[in-house]
Amino acid sequence: MNKKAFGVFSIALASLLLELVLIRVFDVLWYPNMAYMIITLAVFSFGLAGVVLSLWPIHRSERTWVWLSGATLLMAVAALLILPLVNRLPFDYEQLAGDQTAQTVKNFFLIYLVICTPFFLAGFTLSLVFSHYASQIRRLYFYDLVGAALGCLLLIPLLPMLGTVGILWMVAAFSLLSSAFFSTSRWWTRVLVIAALAVAVTPFTWNSLKTFEPHMDKRYFRALQGVIEGSWWDPISKIDVVDYEKVGKWLGRAYTFKWIAYDGGTQTSYFYRFDGDYQAIRDGLPDNALEHFWEAYLAVSHHLKADSDAEVLIIGSAGGQEIKAALTYNAGHVDGIELVGKVVELGKGQYNDYIGGVMTHPRADVRVGEGRSFLRSSDKLYDIIQLNSNHTSSSIAAGSGAMRSTYLQTVEAYKEFFTHLSADGILHINHHIYPRMVTTAAQAWAELGHENFRDHVLVFEFAGEIDNLPTLLIKMQPWTRAEIDEAARFLHNFTLVVDPLNPDDSFLTQPFFEPDFPDELAEIIPYQVKPTRDNRPFFNSLRKSLDILPEEKPEVFVNTSIAGLMNSQQSAGFPIDIVHLVVTAGAALVFALVFTLVPLVFSRAGRMPWQGKGNVLVYFSCLGSGYIILQLVFIQIFMKLIGYPLYAYTTVLFTFLFAAGLGSLFSERLRLLERARWWLPFVGVVVFALLLLFYQQVLFDDFLRFETLTRIIIAIAMIFPLAFCLGMPFPLGILAVQFKPEGTVAWAWAFNGLFTVVGGIFCAIFAVYYGFQATMLVAVAIYLLALLMYRGLFRGYQLDRMSREKGV
């Protein structure tokens, strides 16, 4: 039992670690919305292994161990081949409509095959073990889930230490270790253990490991490989610093900054060269803005609060531009909050002198953190709260594309901002699609009991060009004409598009500034404009159709900037923001045919008539979809409590896996099947899910004030009872079908995998339109259906066992 258990533990650990690291790899090579396919392919490959074993069952014998050891050995080889093969198969989906369409499509499917192979081998191993040792499933499933939980935890320390390529070597090492556990030959076991140790040590000792080469030229990143000063893998984003001063010399231009490229250029910030003379900057503004800032708009709120000893909070301080703007105008104190710790470390260390000591200034306190949790833990009032295009580009951290949760752009977030501003404070935000920002802020304003919101709002857009970061300024006191004129003078290259004292010439009409934005007006606007809330925090889910928006159509609130952003989300006719769902949904249809029709027609378990076949398929389909829906919803909602996106992801995933593993183990000790108490875990799932559904928001609001570690512990405590119960239905199901025709367990495993994919797609779409609470209710209903199905499975199990005992 120990060899099997530790073999399962090691391969499960390797599989989840591989899944997570490949998500990070493809965040950088492509974009986060495309990296979503890794999860789909992993689950599909696991399920496909079950299909194969249902078609060609491997009879239990000593040869079983050869198959297990061989499959895990091949997984180690497949993991190490990912780097060279992916580097030889460049894929840029922007070339799908060009001269290289055929080669691009070919490379795409070859990359699919490369990724699928190690997961198929891992799924083959687990499916074979579960099929042959179904009576021990509760203990084996425990080792499977706990191994995966540890793999989830290892990503955080290993990624900054080893990078993605180093982690691939660790995946290979754990796969070799699993092969050693499954081996029946002593000398071969020793060889595999030695090989595993050698592979594990390699990334720590070999500093010249080859890295992944860029596939897409994000902001010309691929062309700038020769001037990269350094590269680091932060748990949130890969960080490259590009010496743009050298680029300027090549082009005959005078650049004065280092480019901080997040995830291969998906996002951008800069370290600007600065000699520490704040007065010189101030004397030259706004004309010298481009020498020190991305644009003059970064400094406008600080200009309006000049020499007032202002208390300032920068959410997403990045390379320190906003901090420098605040210090330029003599802010009394500046708090800077930044999610990506490596950028803070570089700004305070390696690039401290280059940027003039901005981050180590005596009146600046720059720390790693998340804006909303920082605000909730503080009673401090600020004169300026500033956010500039705040979001993380990592799909592990924050979802994917249009489905990415944006907790800094919800009604609840704006309420947090407003309650932390002083009586005359300013909220300064640069973010796209300002009509939706205004409706969201207006709802928050009204819910706090304030009135006349329009009197408090200014919006500037860059004159004559597409502006994807318009400037929204909300002041707690009504704007005066003198303040508006001064802001307009400072931003002389910008157009004032929302003027509270001249509403007739403003782009937005009065309903945008009122609570409960009218449905009839929202209906005629060709993009989503209604406020977003924590229950549906999908601010970037803007698309209503695939139509190209006209450049200017003010009667439906479309201008050049809005149309430019929306239309830019289409490449070669593909909607980039939702392409991952299109690809995944299409793949799911193919998977459905493979997982259902093929085994039904060709496998023994599919061809033979046996009692309860329909119940089995529905039951395992419910488990796959219900489990993934709850897991994905929890990742999103606990992001609000924990703050750090990656920590939220890791906490939820680890707790789900570890607690479910314990649940599986305790289901054996509690003898739920033997004592006919199989219904208990289903009742537990329903009860604990409903308790979390109705009380999590109240608890979150109370717990947000605690330190990060405390919030993580609280999150684990809240999730644990539900996850504990979730670990019991799967092994109960395997036990109930262990006496069915050969291949049934593998087929059940395949259906579980298929509906994990289907459940993930459903969750992503349903949550956007109906919110997390409604999606959780659907998951609860799915587990109630599983409860009904298991009644039939249990009766069949009793009959099968009685038949076996009688020798029939």
Side-chain angles (χ1 to χ4, degrees):
M1 179 65 187
N2 285 338
K3 290 186 66 176
K4 291 194 297 292
F6 287 120
V8 166
F9 175 90
S10 298
I11 204 64
L13 188 158
S15 300
L16 194 68
L17 191 57
L18 178 63
E19 179 181 332
L20 295 180
V21 77
L22 286 181
I23 291 173
R24 293 299 296 117
V25 166
F26 285 93
D27 280 344
V28 177
L29 298 185
W30 300 342
Y31 284 97
N33 52 357
M34 290 296 289
Y36 184 84
M37 79 172 196
I38 302 298
I39 301 171
T40 306
L41 287 181
V43 175
F44 163 66
S45 301
F46 270 53
L48 184 61
V51 171
V52 170
L53 284 173
S54 71
L55 294 173
W56 298 286
I58 296 173
H59 301 295
R60 181 172 173 177
S61 66
E62 283 299 312
R63 294 286 299 172
T64 299
W65 295 92
V66 176
W67 280 102
L68 292 172
S69 185
T72 46
L73 174 61
L74 288 175
M75 181 177 171
V77 175
L80 291 177
L81 286 175
I82 289 173
L83 172 66
L85 291 176
V86 169
N87 279 347
R88 289 180 63 87
L89 298 168
F91 172 75
D92 182 346
Y93 55 75
E94 293 180 353
Q95 296 179 352
L96 286 172
D99 297 336
Q100 303 181 37
T101 300
Q103 186 62 46
T104 301
V105 172
K106 177 183 175 183
N107 285 358
F108 182 70
F109 282 103
L110 287 174
I111 290 172
Y112 256 57
L113 180 61
V114 169
I115 296 170
C116 281
T117 301
F119 291 114
F120 173 83
L121 293 166
F124 176 89
T125 302
L126 294 172
S127 184
L128 185 57
V129 172
F130 293 165
S131 296
H132 284 190
Y133 301 96
S135 61
Q136 303 170 20
I137 184 61
R138 289 171 287 198
R139 188 169 296 271
L140 289 171
Y141 195 49
F142 163 75
Y143 280 96
D144 173 25
L145 294 179
V146 171
L150 183 58
C152 174
L153 282 186
L154 284 177
L155 180 73
I156 294 178
L158 288 182
L159 188 59
M161 188 187 311
L162 302 178
T164 53
V165 175
I167 291 180
L168 288 179
W169 283 78
M170 297 304 296
V171 169
F174 281 112
S175 300
L176 288 170
L177 192 60
S178 179
S179 183
F181 283 125
F182 288 129
S183 173
T184 57
S185 168
R186 288 188 177 182
W187 73 267
W188 184 239
T189 298
R190 293 191 186 100
V191 169
L192 289 170
V193 170
I194 293 170
L197 291 173
V199 170
V201 169
T202 298
F204 290 96
T205 57
W206 190 6
N207 295 325
S208 57
L209 285 174
K210 191 174 177 60
T211 60
F212 285 97
E213 298 171 3
H215 281 209
M216 302 187 70
D217 209 7
K218 308 174 191 176
R219 297 185 172 97
Y220 308 106
F221 179 77
R222 189 165 57 187
L224 299 174
Q225 299 302 291
V227 288
I228 295 178
E229 292 188 340
S231 299
W232 301 269
W233 282 95
D234 183 271
I236 299 293
S237 295
K238 181 176 185 279
I239 297 299
D240 295 278
V241 176
V242 179
D243 186 354
Y244 240 78
E245 295 195 15
K246 287 184 179 179
V247 175
K249 291 178 181 177
W250 296 347
L251 301 177
R253 301 181 64 176
Y255 291 121
T256 60
F257 57 80
K258 311 284 187 178
W259 176 27
I260 309 170
Y262 294 71
D263 286 335
T266 303
Q267 275 186 276
T268 284
S269 187
Y270 298 107
F271 287 135
Y272 280 89
R273 180 155 49 87
F274 178 44
D275 61 6
D277 189 346
Y278 291 98
Q279 189 60 48
I281 297 178
R282 183 166 172 174
D283 291 342
L285 283 172
D287 297 329
N288 66 346
L290 296 182
E291 299 175 25
H292 300 280
F293 311 105
W294 178 251
E295 254 297 353
Y297 62 68
L298 282 176
V300 62
S301 59
H302 309 288
H303 174 77
L304 294 173
K305 291 286 186 181
D307 302 319
S308 63
D309 205 33
E311 291 287 336
V312 178
L313 171 64
I314 309 296
I315 298 178
S317 55
Q321 298 177 56
E322 297 91 335
I323 297 170
K324 181 165 62 176
L327 295 172
T328 295
Y329 286 100
N330 288 323
H333 183 80
V334 185
D335 286 322
I337 304 297
E338 169 60 35
L339 265 178
V340 184
K342 192 65 190 181
V343 175
V344 176
E345 179 186 329
L346 291 171
K348 289 184 173 182
Q350 183 172 335
Y351 291 94
N352 179 63
D353 293 339
Y354 183 85
I355 64 176
V358 167
M359 294 191 189
T360 56
H361 192 282
R363 284 183 281 136
D365 182 11
V366 185
R367 67 190 78 176
V368 180
E370 190 276 332
R372 284 188 63 181
S373 58
F374 173 81
L375 282 171
R376 180 50 63 96
S377 65
S378 171
D379 295 327
K380 190 173 181 178
L381 296 180
Y382 291 94
D383 300 298
I384 297 173
I385 297 177
Q386 184 174 8
L387 304 83
N388 182 47
S389 184
N390 286 101
H391 64 281
T392 173
S393 62
S394 168
S395 61
I396 276 188
S400 297
M403 308 303 151
R404 183 180 63 238
S405 56
T406 310
Y407 280 106
L408 291 173
Q409 289 292 341
T410 65
V411 171
E412 291 82 357
Y414 277 94
K415 290 166 74 172
E416 201 77 67
F417 301 147
F418 293 149
T419 54
H420 281 84
L421 282 169
S422 61
D424 196 39
I426 297 173
L427 176 63
H428 178 177
I429 300 180
N430 291 93
H431 199 69
H432 52 255
I433 312 297
Y434 68 83
R436 194 170 205 181
M437 282 198 291
V438 170
T439 62
T440 303
Q443 187 66 40
W445 187 267
E447 290 183 10
L448 289 172
H450 303 319
E451 298 178 343
N452 303 319
F453 182 57
R454 183 164 203 151
D455 297 343
H456 302 258
V457 181
L458 294 181
V459 179
F460 288 89
E461 277 194 304
F462 199 80
E465 296 183 20
I466 293 176
D467 188 353
N468 286 338
L469 293 174
T471 304
L472 171 67
L473 299 170
I474 302 174
K475 191 163 172 281
M476 296 305 291
Q477 294 296 320
W479 289 102
T480 65
R481 174 48 62 191
E483 291 170 331
I484 296 171
D485 290 345
E486 182 57 30
R489 186 199 64 77
F490 188 82
L491 299 178
H492 59 85
N493 290 329
F494 294 75
T495 301
L496 181 60
V497 292
V498 173
D499 183 349
L501 301 184
N502 194 8
D504 292 339
D505 288 338
S506 294
F507 184 69
L508 301 181
T509 56
Q510 184 60 32
F512 283 85
F513 303 90
E514 300 289 344
D516 304 318
F517 191 79
D519 292 337
E520 57 272 17
L521 181 57
E523 188 69 27
I524 68 169
I525 300 174
Y527 56 92
Q528 300 290 350
V529 73
K530 299 198 81 171
T532 54
R533 288 188 170 274
D534 283 355
N535 184 47
R536 293 172 57 191
F538 303 103
F539 184 92
N540 295 317
S541 180
L542 299 162
R543 186 177 303 282
K544 283 187 173 181
S545 72
L546 299 182
D547 297 337
I548 298 295
L549 269 61
E551 287 191 7
E552 289 285 346
K553 201 169 183 181
E555 62 271 22
V556 291
F557 305 99
V558 174
N559 62 12
T560 303
S561 296
I562 293 170
L565 177 72
M566 295 294 296
N567 294 338
S568 71
Q569 295 299 304
Q570 296 201 28
S571 176
F574 290 92
I576 298 173
D577 53 337
I578 59 172
V579 68
H580 60 293
L581 289 181
V582 175
V583 171
T584 306
L589 295 176
V590 176
F591 301 167
L593 294 175
V594 172
F595 289 168
T596 55
L597 295 184
V598 173
L600 188 65
V601 174
F602 297 105
S603 74
R604 182 184 176 191
R607 293 195 311 268
M608 287 181 59
W610 45 275
Q611 187 177 7
K613 182 189 294 187
N615 280 15
V616 170
L617 299 185
V618 174
Y619 178 76
F620 283 97
S621 301
C622 286
L623 298 191
S625 56
Y627 185 89
I628 195 65
I629 289 171
L630 287 172
Q631 187 179 93
L632 292 177
V633 168
F634 275 44
I635 288 171
Q636 296 285 4
I637 63 177
F638 276 88
M639 211 171 288
K640 175 184 175 182
L641 174 64
I642 295 172
Y644 296 86
L646 183 61
Y647 292 171
Y649 185 97
T650 304
T651 298
V652 173
L653 193 56
F654 170 79
T655 308
F656 260 75
L657 293 168
F658 185 76
L662 288 178
S664 177
L665 186 64
F666 271 82
S667 69
E668 181 178 41
R669 295 185 179 182
L670 296 172
R671 299 177 59 82
L672 295 179
L673 187 67
E674 293 81 357
R675 296 174 179 174
R677 294 176 180 174
W678 50 265
W679 49 270
L680 276 172
F682 297 97
V683 173
V685 168
V686 172
V687 170
F688 289 122
L690 291 177
L691 285 173
L692 282 168
L693 176 66
F694 293 117
Y695 292 105
Q696 57 92 7
Q697 201 66 255
V698 175
L699 294 173
F700 283 9
D701 289 341
D702 189 45
F703 293 143
L704 268 171
R705 68 180 186 273
F706 294 116
E707 294 294 325
T708 302
L709 180 59
T710 304
R711 296 199 306 273
I712 290 174
I713 294 171
I714 290 169
I716 292 172
M718 292 176 69
I719 299 168
F720 194 93
L722 172 62
F724 181 83
C725 295
L726 287 171
M728 299 180 184
F730 182 80
L732 286 174
I734 296 295
L735 287 171
V737 301
Q738 61 181 307
F739 303 128
K740 299 299 182 185
E742 190 174 30
T744 299
V745 171
W747 195 10
W749 170 268
F751 258 81
N752 185 264
L754 165 64
F755 277 87
T756 299
V757 176
V758 173
I761 299 168
F762 169 84
C763 180
I765 297 173
F766 197 82
V768 168
Y769 290 100
Y770 298 101
F772 294 137
Q773 292 181 347
T775 309
M776 280 185 67
L777 285 175
V778 171
V780 169
I782 288 172
Y783 271 95
L784 287 173
L785 177 59
L787 169 63
L788 294 177
M789 292 298 103
Y790 199 83
R791 289 173 62 89
L793 291 186
F794 182 67
R795 294 192 195 101
Y797 164 76
Q798 289 178 311
L799 292 173
D800 291 340
R801 190 179 63 178
M802 290 173 58
S803 297
R804 291 223 163 202
E805 290 173 352
K806 293 178 180 179
V808 178

